[in-house]
Amino acid sequence: MDGIIVDGCITLALVSMGARDWQAAQAWLDEAREVVRHWQQGNTLQRLSTFEARFALLRGDLPAVERWHRDSGVSVDDAPTDNDSIEQIMLARLLTAQGQYQQTLAYLDRL
């Protein structure tokens, strides 16, 4: 049941981001973080961190996204996988925000 709550919170955060309601988006992400904070599931925490990085990028907080990248371990050299597709697309967004357009295109072509 908690997994459904986390997915719902992330979805509502994305809707709030689309509406540029930053306060609501942050509240939904905080709610999701509260649910998963006691879990020992690294993949769920990683996914939530990726959505938090997406939110940071929308707000223009590039240093926060770069921290996510360092902490996530996601690399342009990683083999594409379905399990990490959200993280891989976030890395492409980061590369684009950094102005690394050729690297972004090469990376997306591999995906």
Side-chain angles (χ1 to χ4, degrees):
M1 183 64 145
D2 285 342
I4 294 170
I5 293 170
V6 171
D7 287 345
C9 288
I10 289 171
T11 299
L12 290 168
L14 290 170
V15 170
S16 298
M17 287 177 207
R20 302 288 194 237
D21 186 346
W22 308 131
Q23 187 174 1
Q26 186 62 59
W28 287 117
L29 290 172
D30 291 345
E31 179 73 22
R33 173 119 349 239
E34 183 62 29
V35 172
V36 301
R37 118 181 129 93
H38 299 292
W39 295 1
Q40 298 299 318
Q41 296 177 341
N43 59 341
T44 302
L45 292 170
Q46 174 66 21
R47 187 173 58 130
L48 179 56
S49 294
T50 302
F51 281 105
E52 290 171 333
R54 183 174 177 181
F55 182 47
L57 187 61
L58 285 172
R59 290 188 334 260
D61 187 356
L62 193 56
V65 183
E66 290 168 339
R67 279 191 303 278
W68 163 83
H69 181 230
R70 281 191 303 275
D71 295 343
S72 73
V74 178
S75 168
V76 294
D77 298 324
D78 294 343
T81 67
D82 290 338
N83 292 339
D84 296 327
S85 60
I86 294 170
E87 291 81 4
Q88 293 164 337
I89 296 300
M90 187 61 223
L91 178 54
R93 288 182 171 118
L94 172 60
L95 293 171
T96 301
Q98 292 172 328
Q100 299 181 45
Y101 306 118
Q102 293 300 329
Q103 189 174 14
T104 302
L105 289 173
Y107 181 58
L108 289 173
D109 189 46
R110 284 189 44 236
L111 296 179

